[in-house]
Amino acid sequence: MSIAVKSVTIANGVNMPVLGLGTWKSNAGECEQAVKDAIDCGYRHIDTAVAYLNEKEVGCAISAKIKDGTVKREDLFITTKLWNTFHRKDLVIPSIKESLKDLQLEYLDLFLIHWPMAYKEGEELFPKDKDGNFIFSDSPFIDTWKEMEKAVNQGLVKAIGLSNFNSKQVQMIIDEGTIKPANIQVECHPYFNNSKLLNFCRERNISFTAYSPFGAPQRGWQKDDEPLVIADERLKPIAEKHGKTPAQVVLRYIIQRGAIVIPKSVTRSRIEQNINVFDFELSEDEMKVIGSFEQKRRIALNWGPDKHRDFPFHEEF
C-alpha cells in the first residue's frame, strides 16, 4: 500500500514532502533496496550525500523505479549535499555534476552545503595529519554559496540550502548571498528540540528538516548507557492511545512542530511504519509532554573539526 505524504512549498516554489527517507548509515548493499522499498511505500523524498558513499545505489534505485513505471522523475524530491572537501569555488559545480551522474539525474531538487567547515581539497573525504587531526581549507562558505547560486541559474539544482549551520552563519548567507536558503537540515529529536533555530528559520521562511529524529542509535559513537529516544517510557502511553509505535509518535511530533523529517531505515517493515503517520494527531498536552523530554543532548559531530573557524556548535543555536 502506497501512502500519500503531505508537502510544503519551500522558498523556490517547489513542493517538498514533509517526510522522506534518510540514508545516512545505510550500508553498501542495503541502500538500493531500501530506496526501492521506500518508493513502493509512497516515499517521494529521498535524502543522501556524497559523504554517505551511497549516491550510486540511490541512483540505481531511482532509475529502476522510474523505469518500471512506479514514479516519474517529477514525482520525486531528491536531496544531496556538498562535502567539506569541495568547498573551493572551482570544485562546487563539478561536485554537483558528479552527484548528478551517480544519481542518474539531470537536476537535483535540493542541494545543501553539508557542513560550514571546509577541509583540505583532495581525494580523502576526511583528510588528517600524522597525528590524526583534521586538515582544514581556508575556503569561505560564502564563496561556496555563491557558486551554488550559479548552479541554480544553470538549472542543475532547483533549490539550495544548508546543513549543520548555526543561526549566525545562516544570517550571513542571507545577508551576503543573492538567493536565500530554501532549507536547513539539522539534528532535531525529543532530546534535542533545536527550538530556537526552528523558530529562527520559521521567521525567515526557511524550511527546516530534522535529521536523526530517533537520536541516531546506530551512529557508532554513543555510550552504552546512553538513553534511546524511542525507548523512553513516557512515549508508551501516548503510542498506545493512538494505536501507534513510539517511533511513529516521535515522527508525528516533529511534523506537528512544522518540521520536515527524514527517518533512516533499511528494513521494509520499519520503512512502511515510518510513513504511516498521517492518520492521527497528537493533542496539545501530548505535544507538551514530548517537548519536556529536552536534554540538550546533541549527537551530531562535536569532535575533531571543532578547531575550525567555522565549526557551528560553539554558538547556542
Side-chain angles (χ1 to χ4, degrees):
M1 184 178 72
S2 179
I3 293 173
V5 176
K6 295 178 182 177
S7 294
V8 293
T9 304
I10 60 176
N12 64 335
V14 170
N15 289 330
M16 184 174 184
V18 300
L19 187 142
L21 180 74
T23 63
W24 178 47
K25 293 288 182 180
S26 291
N27 297 325
E30 297 179 319
C31 185
E32 182 176 346
Q33 189 59 48
V35 173
K36 287 178 180 176
D37 288 342
I39 291 173
D40 286 340
C41 292
Y43 288 72
R44 297 296 178 260
H45 172 183
I46 310 294
D47 181 272
T48 183
V50 170
Y52 302 167
L53 302 176
N54 59 23
E55 284 182 316
K56 287 183 178 179
E57 286 196 47
V58 172
C60 287
I62 291 168
S63 177
K65 287 287 114 185
I66 291 174
K67 208 168 285 183
D68 73 10
T70 304
V71 287
K72 297 174 182 174
R73 169 64 184 97
E74 56 267 29
D75 298 330
L76 299 172
F77 189 99
I78 309 300
T79 303
T80 193
K81 309 175 191 78
L82 182 81
W83 185 240
N84 307 5
T85 52
F86 300 102
H87 278 212
R88 201 176 67 202
K89 289 199 298 185
D90 62 304
L91 299 177
V92 176
I93 299 289
S95 180
I96 294 172
K97 289 180 176 178
E98 190 65 24
S99 286
L100 287 171
K101 179 183 167 188
D102 287 345
L103 290 163
Q104 302 182 46
L105 299 174
E106 292 183 358
Y107 67 90
L108 292 164
D109 297 278
L110 179 63
F111 191 68
L112 309 175
I113 302 180
H114 204 150
W115 289 89
M117 307 92 64
Y119 292 173
K120 179 188 175 186
E121 300 78 13
E123 306 229 339
E124 291 288 324
L125 291 180
F126 297 90
K128 294 181 180 179
D129 63 21
K130 58 182 173 54
D131 297 317
N133 300 309
F134 279 95
I135 307 173
F136 301 136
S137 164
D138 62 0
S139 295
F141 60 72
I142 290 295
D143 287 354
T144 308
W145 182 257
K146 290 178 178 177
E147 288 301 306
M148 288 173 58
E149 292 178 335
K150 292 178 185 177
V152 175
N153 296 329
Q154 291 176 25
L156 297 172
V157 301
K158 288 194 169 185
I160 50 177
L162 308 167
S163 179
N164 298 305
F165 278 57
N166 64 44
S167 59
K168 289 184 177 178
Q169 292 168 330
V170 175
Q171 191 60 52
M172 199 182 303
I173 294 281
I174 293 171
D175 292 343
E176 298 191 34
T178 56
I179 297 177
K180 187 174 74 172
N183 178 267
I184 185 167
Q185 184 181 128
V186 289
E187 177 181 350
C188 180
H189 49 78
Y191 290 167
F192 189 77
N193 262 320
N194 225 335
S195 296
K196 289 186 177 180
L197 187 59
L198 175 60
N199 291 333
F200 173 91
C201 291
R202 186 179 289 129
E203 288 166 1
R204 288 156 181 78
N205 194 30
I206 298 170
S207 63
F208 183 102
T209 299
Y211 72 66
S212 298
F214 307 136
Q218 296 173 310
R219 65 190 179 275
W221 59 83
Q222 67 274 32
K223 297 173 183 173
D224 290 342
D225 61 348
E226 193 169 319
L228 294 176
V229 172
I230 55 176
D232 196 300
E233 290 292 324
R234 293 168 291 181
L235 286 172
K236 285 186 178 178
I238 299 173
E240 287 169 4
K241 177 187 169 187
H242 293 283
K244 295 292 181 179
T245 66
Q248 288 170 315
V249 168
V250 167
L251 296 175
R252 183 71 209 177
Y253 166 73
I254 292 170
I255 290 168
Q256 282 187 216
R257 293 180 73 217
I260 296 153
V261 66
I262 47 170
K264 170 261 174 184
S265 182
V266 294
T267 306
R268 183 169 180 125
S269 60
R270 288 188 187 141
I271 289 170
E272 289 176 344
Q273 200 179 83
N274 288 344
I275 199 176
N276 192 14
V277 294
F278 296 98
D279 58 351
F280 76 107
E281 192 163 320
L282 298 171
S283 69
E284 193 175 326
D285 285 344
E286 289 167 335
M287 292 290 288
K288 284 179 181 174
V289 167
I290 302 170
S292 73
F293 293 6
E294 172 65 52
Q295 300 177 11
K296 300 196 185 307
R297 186 184 289 276
R298 187 193 291 278
I299 60 94
L301 198 63
N302 56 10
W303 44 267
D306 59 346
K307 302 293 188 292
H308 194 287
R309 68 177 183 214
D310 294 325
F311 184 75
F313 301 148
H314 295 314
E315 296 292 334
E316 182 189 0
F317 70 97

